[in-house]
Amino acid sequence: MKHLLSAAAAATLLAPAAHAVEIEVAYAYSSLFDPTFARIMQAFETAHPEIEVRFRATYENYEDATNTILREAVAGTVPDVSFQALNRQRILVDRGIAQPLDPFIAEETGFETEGYHQAMLDLSRFDGHIYGLPFSVSTPIGFYNMDMLRAAGIDEVPATWPEVIAACKAVKAAGHEAIYWHWDISGNWMLQTEMWSQGVPTIKDGKLNMDTPEGLRALETAQAIFRDCEMKNTGGGDASKAFAAGELGMFFSSTAYVSFVDRSKLGDWEFVTAPYPGQDGAPKALPAGGNAAMMTSASDDPEVRAAAWEFIKFTTSGEGAAAVALTTGYVPPNQKANDLLMADFYAKNPNKMTAVAQLPLLSEWFAYPGDNGLAVTQVIHDGLEAILVGDATDMEELRDEMVEEVNALLPR
């Protein structure tokens, strides 16, 4: 359990308004979202002085978010609003922790005109009911230090993985750290990206769909990145800092890191983002990353639940969603925010436009079904780590082991 509140949380611990209704909110990734919530709270406190928002210590990542709230549900200490990964919503619905938002939406006048378009609402729709409002949506993209690439003789951004591998070898030969592929990002997202980029889902008919040529190629791509490019065994956070410091040629991760690089960039070198590489051409699909605001309140007080709804609605509105784009690299899921930003903001911030251009490719970020979903995530994580550290060298053998172990954990 983390004991320090984030900067955004501390900023909101102000003297409450008279007769204020208090709600508790929790979210993940303080380094990404603290600036976002600080900006949102400036406007929310003005619009709703009757609501006091207390932020809990931030979740370390999305797995931590899910594990924490599952424990809190047993103890009856859940927050009123929890921001959960899109692929982890289902387990909170199945456990009865997440509350349907349909009754609140039904009371809203003109909700359908406030930018909540159907495709985004469907990301949080289960059994015909809406359990969350998407807060941020991401796609995987490529981050490039063009000065470093040009010094290695690479004049154009590589568009396919064979081109990336060739580029990383050239950058290494020039004496620089070449690449980081964010393999351990939450929910096996990058491996799912490699599957979807070939047009193949990671889960099919309730089973791990990697006993296929595409599954083998996904693992072989990871092996080429780790071995042929001599990728360092470090975390994504450290890799993003190294990239921002101008010490890394290519970084493949969530578009969420764009604003971090912009804020932290050291030196006068050209920072460019580009679409995620495909195998033989452009990707055929990409998994939708990001999170949704969910009502997880255990309170029976209608005022508390109404206040929680107001916070969920505000953070996902045009104004709240615009704050997401302004402070991160995420794509606002609210169409009003995108319409507002499109004319000027993206023209001035082309590195954030890359993810927007990839929206037509968005597909499901799979949540592994059943009570062992988090365990499945760990099995796949361990398989990738075995490649990284050199414990696994035969990708066909590793693939078969992963398929057998994962399918034994999935519901029959």
Side-chain angles (χ1 to χ4, degrees), residues 83-344:
F83 289 79
Q84 294 282 330
L86 295 176
N87 73 322
R88 298 298 181 195
Q89 296 176 96
R90 178 90 223 191
I91 189 170
L92 302 189
V93 173
D94 291 343
R95 298 287 182 88
I97 298 169
Q99 307 301 311
L101 300 180
D102 307 74
F104 298 96
I105 293 173
E107 294 296 318
E108 295 290 330
T109 301
F111 183 80
E112 65 281 356
T113 66
E114 290 302 308
Y116 298 99
H117 52 92
Q118 201 64 40
M120 291 301 177
L121 289 177
D122 285 344
L123 295 175
S124 297
R125 191 186 302 276
F126 302 94
D127 302 324
H129 298 285
I130 297 172
Y131 284 88
L133 294 183
F135 175 66
S136 60
V137 173
S138 62
T139 65
I141 63 171
F143 297 65
Y144 299 91
N145 181 326
M146 291 307 299
D147 288 31
M148 193 178 290
L149 264 64
R150 281 192 286 264
I154 310 297
D155 295 323
E156 296 183 0
V157 169
T160 66
W161 277 113
E163 291 174 8
V164 169
I165 302 304
C168 79
K169 290 178 180 178
V171 172
K172 288 292 293 185
H176 300 291
E177 202 61 43
I179 192 171
Y180 189 82
W181 180 66
H182 202 162
W183 67 277
D184 62 346
I185 199 168
S186 183
N188 309 138
W189 194 52
M190 295 301 279
L191 185 64
Q192 292 200 21
T193 295
E194 285 308 305
M195 295 293 288
W196 266 132
S197 71
Q198 300 175 77
V200 174
T202 308
I203 295 292
K204 185 177 180 180
D205 299 327
K207 301 297 181 184
L208 184 63
N209 187 38
M210 291 191 66
D211 52 348
T212 58
E214 293 84 1
L216 180 60
R217 194 169 189 184
L219 293 178
E220 289 174 340
T221 298
Q223 185 181 43
I225 296 168
F226 297 159
R227 182 189 62 195
D228 298 346
C229 294
E230 300 176 44
M231 192 187 99
K232 280 188 174 180
N233 184 7
T234 186
D238 288 340
S240 67
K241 293 174 185 175
F243 182 81
E247 300 169 354
L248 183 64
M250 297 177 285
F251 177 52
F252 297 92
S253 186
S254 167
T255 184
Y257 284 96
V258 173
S259 282
F260 172 79
V261 174
D262 284 337
R263 290 193 302 268
S264 309
K265 185 171 174 286
L266 300 176
D268 185 22
W269 51 274
E270 186 181 3
F271 165 40
V272 168
T273 68
Y276 192 81
Q279 289 291 348
D280 302 309
K284 297 177 181 178
L286 294 170
N291 63 68
M294 307 186 80
M295 186 180 296
T296 51
S297 181
S299 175
D300 293 327
D301 187 340
E303 289 190 357
V304 170
R305 295 168 70 82
W309 167 246
E310 289 299 330
F311 185 77
I312 290 172
K313 185 174 62 171
F314 191 91
T315 56
T316 59
S317 68
E319 184 173 3
V324 171
L326 293 168
T327 57
T328 73
Y330 281 102
V331 178
N334 186 291
Q335 190 58 46
K336 286 184 75 171
N338 278 316
D339 291 344
L340 189 68
L341 295 166
M342 193 63 71
D344 188 46

Side-chain angles (χ1 to χ4, degrees), residues 45 281 395:
E45 288 173 342
M395 294 302 98

